[in-house]
């Protein structure tokens, strides 16, 4: 299907998440995650950097030069949090941050505490590394969020001044320039929507279209000692064999010529988000095929089974096809979130459910693992195997992931539903109430633990309209029944669609047929050879030593035998566990390292699995997703 926006996201007044899985997480977001993140913003000097600029002090700047972005992302998440559940305490914390930001902005619109405080004459001198537009992009997204979710324009005024300032320096008739870390482009798109001024969208288009220019605007910076005096750390990433190669920051070629996902994973996701949004209704075949090529490269050759992406810590990003090591997987939380954001835009542009399958996979696995069940500890990298060295922490010196997962958790409802002119699409069958101009839709059930979902429709129109229900890729047997009549659904692009005149009380019952399933990997993924992973509905499972009293690395699973499923409300906030028979290598072994074949004794033991997202919530442990197959 050509890119032509089919569904928009529901506003906060149109959707209420009632699902026990997600509503508890959204409650934790407002009551724990966002307040504790504010404390971190204060104690790590991120807010103090703004105060120093305001007070005209000089001295050492705290932390990384792009730390302003954490404040903006936190504010974006707060807007969503407050729209879900008002909290005067949280609101007053946000007021402090908003006030500081507004007072820090220079009269000409420039805003970046590192440059203003440390290098006031060095603005826009090192676009590849200094992240001024990246930070600004998060400011713009936060501003749009406060406008959209709360009708509060305080940040929007700051954002408009900042964007206008950037556009007074860069542009088609001005200086060629875009940021080494993409984000400003998507921020501009959101600013255009919030203000109704399309010039911001067109400026985003110009930045996306000129990326990959030769000579690149980044090239002169890499030998400019003035620019490098601020930061030279990423010069090596930008060069190959001594010559400029922009793969690390997706500046290797114009986007329409991209053939695969390369470089820094988060940057790539943010660039493709903007490019996807901008392709809406443009009939830009070159852009659409480039985006589809990159999506295929990513999801068919470069993505973990958890939908973690970017296996390497060296470039925080992509390496080669099928290079997906488990224990050293970088799989940054932000990258998995970026994959959700991009996939959701592709879904909304094309109406094709394949994109939602990946969004859902990332949501319940490689993204959700990024935050503890308590809501105040985070993973930066999300490995698929641990030998006990990994543990979530309350914050990071480079703290991109914590506020990023906060803004994602605040918008679960917006991911679950699509609203079209004459269709309402259920992308994720989570418990929720949706109120649109066409109808009120109530979805209830106990997803993802149970596969039966009830969808009740109360129309607000006498005209016919469609209800489209996504059929997940993992659902082998779909039970679908319109209770009031014997009408078959139409099947389009992976959705079951009922298009009809509705009456109050009409109910659809869906059974997605969730069963535990063993998965094997393409043999080209050498790290997974001879191994299997276990899934249950949208969730990938893992075995953790905490549940088993032995290392899961010692176990080889018997995939032909019966498994036992049990919901345990007292475990890890309530999870369904799956216990499977396995052969385990025993400890008894003579002193020394090696012995004749047959020395090891094997024993059949039960191996208990939990959802991958829930691992490491009971201290350090050994964990494995891909188990040896007996
Ligand atoms: Zn991150």
């Amino acid at each position: 299907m050509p890119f032509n926006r089919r569904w928009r996201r529901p506003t906060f007044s149109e959707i209420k998440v009632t699902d026990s899985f997600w509503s508890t997480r959204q409650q934790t977001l407002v009551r724990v995650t966002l307040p504790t993140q504010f404390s971190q913003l204060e104690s790590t000097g991120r807010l103090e950097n703004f105060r120093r600029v305001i007070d005209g002090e000089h001295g050492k700047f705290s932390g990384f030069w792009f730390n302003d972005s954490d404040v903006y992302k936190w504010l974006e998440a707060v807007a969503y949090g407050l729209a879900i559940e008002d909290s005067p305490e949280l609101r007053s914390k946000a007021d402090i941050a908003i006030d500081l930001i507004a007072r820090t902005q220079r009269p000409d619109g420039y805003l970046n505490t590192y440059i203003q405080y440390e290098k006031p004459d060095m603005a826009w001198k090192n676009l590849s590394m200094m992240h001024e537009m990246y930070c600004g992009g998060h400011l713009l997204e936060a501003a749009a969020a406060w406008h959209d979710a709360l009708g509060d324009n305080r940040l929007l005024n700051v954002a408009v001044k900042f964007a206008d300032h950037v556009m007074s320096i860069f542009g088609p008739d001005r200086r060629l320039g875009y940021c080494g870390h993409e984000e400003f482009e998507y921020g501009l798109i959101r600013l255009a929507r919030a203000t109704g001024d399309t010039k911001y969208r067109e400026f985003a288009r110009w930045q996306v279209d000129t990326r990959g220019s030769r000579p690149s605007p980044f090239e002169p910076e890499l030998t400019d000692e003035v620019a490098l005096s601020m930061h030279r750390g990423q010069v090596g990433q930008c060069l190959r064999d001594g010559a400029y190669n922009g793969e690390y920051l997706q500046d290797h070629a114009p986007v329409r010529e991209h053939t695969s996902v390369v470089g820094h994973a988060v940057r790539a996701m943010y660039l493709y988000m903007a490019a996807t949004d901008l392709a809406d209704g443009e009939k830009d075949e070159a852009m659409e095929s480039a985006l589809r090529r990159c999506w295929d490269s990513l999801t068919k050759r470069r993505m973990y089974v958890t939908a973690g992406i970017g296996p390497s810590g060296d470039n925080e990003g992509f390496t080669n096809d099928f290079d997906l090591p488990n224990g050293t997987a970088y799989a940054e939380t932000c990258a998995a979130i970026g994959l959700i954001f991009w996939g959701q835009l592709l879904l909304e542009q094309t109406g094709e459910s394949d994109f939602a399958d990946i969004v859902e996979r990332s949501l319940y696995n490689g993204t959700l693992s990024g935050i503890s069940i308590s809501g105040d500890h985070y993973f930066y990298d999300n490995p698929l195997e641990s030998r006990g060295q990994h543990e979530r922490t309350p914050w990071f010196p480079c703290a991109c992931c914590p506020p990023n997962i906060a803004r994602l958790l605040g918008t679960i409802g917006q991911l679950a539903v699509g609203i079209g002119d004459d269709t309402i699409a259920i992308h994720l069958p989570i418990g929720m109430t949706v109120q649109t101009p066409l109808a009120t839709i109530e979805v209830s059930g106990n997803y993802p633990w149970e596969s039966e979902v009830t969808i009740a429709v109360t129309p607000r129109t006498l005209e016919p309209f469609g209800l489209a229900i996504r059929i997940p890729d993992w659902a082998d047997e779909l039970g679908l029944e319109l209770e009031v009549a014997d009408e078959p659904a139409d099947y389009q692009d992976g959705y079951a669609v009922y298009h009809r005149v509705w009456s109050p009380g009409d109910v659809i019952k869906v059974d997605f047929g969730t069963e535990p399933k063993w998965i094997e990997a393409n043999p080209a993924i050498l790290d997974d050879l001879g191994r299997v992973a276990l899934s249950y509905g949208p969730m990938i499972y893992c075995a953790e030593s905490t549940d088993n009293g032995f290392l899961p690395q010692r176990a080889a699973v018997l995939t032909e035998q019966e498994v036992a499923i049990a919901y345990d409300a007292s475990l890890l906030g309530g999870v369904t566990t799956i216990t499977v028979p396995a052969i385990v290598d025993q400890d008894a072994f003579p002193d020394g390292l090696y012995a004749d074949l047959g020395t090891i004794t094997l024993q059949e033991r039960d191996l208990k699995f939990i959802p991958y997202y829930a691992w490491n919530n009971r201290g350090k442990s050994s964990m494995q997703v891909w188990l040896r197959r007996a």
Side-chain angles (χ1 to χ4, degrees), residues 332 334 380 400-401:
E332 182 182 341
C334 285
Y380 199 107
C400 49
C401 301

